[in-house]
Amino acid sequence: MSMSQAQTMPSMPAHAPAAGAFGRTLLIGVIAFLTVVDLFGTQAILPALARSYWVSPAAMGLAVNASTMGMAVAGLAVAYFSRRIDPKRGILANLTLLAVPTALLAIAPDLASFATLRIVQGLCMAAAFTLTLAYLGEHCSAADAAGAFAAYITGNVASNLFGRLFAAGLADHFGLAPTFCGLAVLNLAGALFVTFGLTHTTPVTVHVSASRSPLATWTEHLRNPRLRAAFGIGFCILFAFIGTFTYVNFVLVRPPIALDQMTLGLVYFVFLPAIGTTLMAGRVVQRFGTQPALWGGLGLAALGLPLLVLPSLPAVLAALTFVGIGTFFAQATATGFVSRAATTDRGSASGIYLASYFFGGLVGSAVLGQVFDRLGWPACVAGIAVSLGVAALLALRVR
């Protein structure tokens, strides 16, 4: 089969149990959950890790979020090779391999080893994540695309909540090493879901010229002002999200709030409302358009920022709820928009978007970590506000 012909990619056949709207949504959400559970679960045990390695919050935050460096690199790699990768095999291989560095984190002897393993985790997570987004982009109709992407991001939201609870509970009762072994088991469960949930069938066709190089396709994406704006929005969203949910952990375990490890895990029930609201993103985009949906999500996240600096647990919980709902809603909207706005090779467009998104998380972790250590939490929150404001300005180009 030539490159000018339609590529063969996995799809869910009409007779499969996942063919129904609920079954498809559930499958997409579960795969998303098990793909990125390592990214978020580890953040719930940041204070315990900082004590274990005897390092500062900024150093531990950067090491934990080093996974976003691997995710950015993998996003670009998948964008370059997307036309040559069978999505099902790629997703399956990466989720299986992901269990290896996850388990090895249990015996990482120092911070440098820990950070290196997190980078390897990021490579596997982002490759699986990007291939799944490409799969959705090619196999969902225009009417279903926004809802399918919202379902995938909803699984991402669920991993934020239940992944953190899972990690915090294991760390509190059994210690750090069993926590990473438990997360490795979840990675293997994700591989099983891909094995039995995705099948090889005739896809929605996508035509790619054999004469065009991947770099030529990238150039076309980057010349598209709507896609450039979406890439920048993705950068800003994870910059703000990582800055908030990494360093707030240290605020919550210090006086006057002073939570213990298990209670800190329970804080992340703040993500529960976002599971429902993110699923609504597709319908909101269909009714009001991408730009109003983005502004709504970003505005809701910004609404919570003043509450983050109050020395009150209820105020901080309310703030985290607003930030969680707003950033995940904006992420679901932007992710679906990239697939619709790409004029060719949606897989590579999704890869570039995710590289921008995860690079934003890495930069946010590094920059806001230094701000937190040197200037304190209120200055860190101000940096988060700037990032959300830049994203709102970029949304002017997204129509």
Side-chain angles (χ1 to χ4, degrees), residues 334-396:
T335 304
F337 174 79
V338 168
S339 179
R340 297 191 303 275
T343 56
T344 185
D345 197 351
R346 292 169 176 169
S348 67
S350 293
I352 296 171
Y353 172 80
L354 287 175
S356 301
Y357 177 75
F358 292 124
F359 186 61
L362 179 65
V363 174
S365 175
V367 171
L368 294 178
Q370 291 300 313
V371 171
F372 181 80
D373 274 359
R374 297 170 185 272
L375 301 175
W377 180 234
C380 186
V381 173
I384 295 165
V386 171
S387 181
L388 293 174
V390 172
L393 290 174
L394 288 172
L396 288 169

Side-chain angles (χ1 to χ4, degrees), residues 55-257:
V55 295
S56 69
M60 197 68 242
L62 185 59
V64 165
N65 292 313
S67 53
T68 57
M69 180 187 300
M71 296 179 103
V73 171
L76 290 175
V78 173
Y80 190 87
F81 294 109
S82 63
R83 289 178 289 175
R84 305 176 190 176
I85 301 174
D86 180 292
K88 178 181 177 178
R89 290 193 181 96
I91 298 165
L92 177 60
N94 280 285
L95 287 180
T96 303
L97 290 172
L98 177 58
V100 177
T102 303
L104 289 176
L105 283 169
I107 56 172
D110 51 44
L111 194 65
S113 301
F114 186 97
T116 300
L117 289 169
R118 287 292 285 173
I119 292 171
V120 177
Q121 278 189 307
L123 290 168
C124 296
M125 283 188 283
F129 195 104
T130 307
L131 288 169
T132 307
L133 290 180
Y135 165 79
L136 294 177
E138 300 299 346
H139 295 279
C140 293
S141 67
D144 293 338
F149 281 101
Y152 193 71
I153 302 304
T154 299
N156 189 300
V157 180
S159 73
N160 265 275
L161 170 56
F162 297 108
R164 291 173 195 262
L165 289 174
F166 179 81
L170 283 182
D172 190 57
H173 289 90
F174 304 105
L176 293 174
T179 300
F180 291 113
C181 292
L183 290 169
V185 171
L186 292 183
N187 300 150
L188 294 176
L192 287 175
F193 271 98
V194 172
T195 299
F196 297 106
L198 299 183
T199 57
H200 296 278
T201 63
T202 303
V204 176
T205 59
V206 54
H207 295 280
V208 182
S209 171
S211 62
R212 297 197 69 192
S213 70
L215 289 178
T217 303
W218 284 21
T219 301
E220 182 172 335
H221 293 325
L222 294 173
R223 284 176 177 170
N224 184 329
R226 299 195 302 162
L227 284 178
R228 286 202 308 270
F231 299 155
I233 290 168
F235 178 98
C236 292
I237 289 172
L238 198 60
F239 184 104
F241 181 89
I242 289 288
T244 302
F245 288 97
T246 296
Y247 298 106
V248 75
N249 291 287
F250 296 99
V251 174
L252 291 171
V253 298
R254 295 173 179 173
I257 299 177

